[in-house]
Amino acid sequence: MGQPGFSDIATRYKELDASNDPLARIDKVVPWESFRDRLEKT
């Protein structure tokens, strides 16, 4: 099995949304971009 493609990832996100997965809900409320500077400095 190779690396997942963009469509594989999009399908997985849709499955998470449909199953009301807590990680999908967290992703909608956490401002991930605000961590970019800190993470790139480490």
Side-chain angles (χ1 to χ4, degrees), residues 1-4 6 15 18 21-22 26 31 33 37-38 40-41:
M1 176 179 246
Q3 184 174 2
F6 288 116
E15 291 170 355
D21 188 281
I26 290 170
E33 280 299 316
D37 286 342
R38 290 182 189 175
E40 288 179 344
K41 289 178 184 177

Side-chain angles (χ1 to χ4, degrees), residues 3 7 12 14 17-23 27 29-31 33-35 37 39-41:
Q3 184 174 2
S7 63
R12 179 68 180 133
K14 286 179 186 176
D17 283 339
S19 68
N20 209 17
D21 188 281
L23 293 177
D27 188 46
V29 297
V30 173
E33 280 299 316
S34 66
F35 296 101
D37 286 342
L39 293 173
E40 288 179 344
K41 289 178 184 177

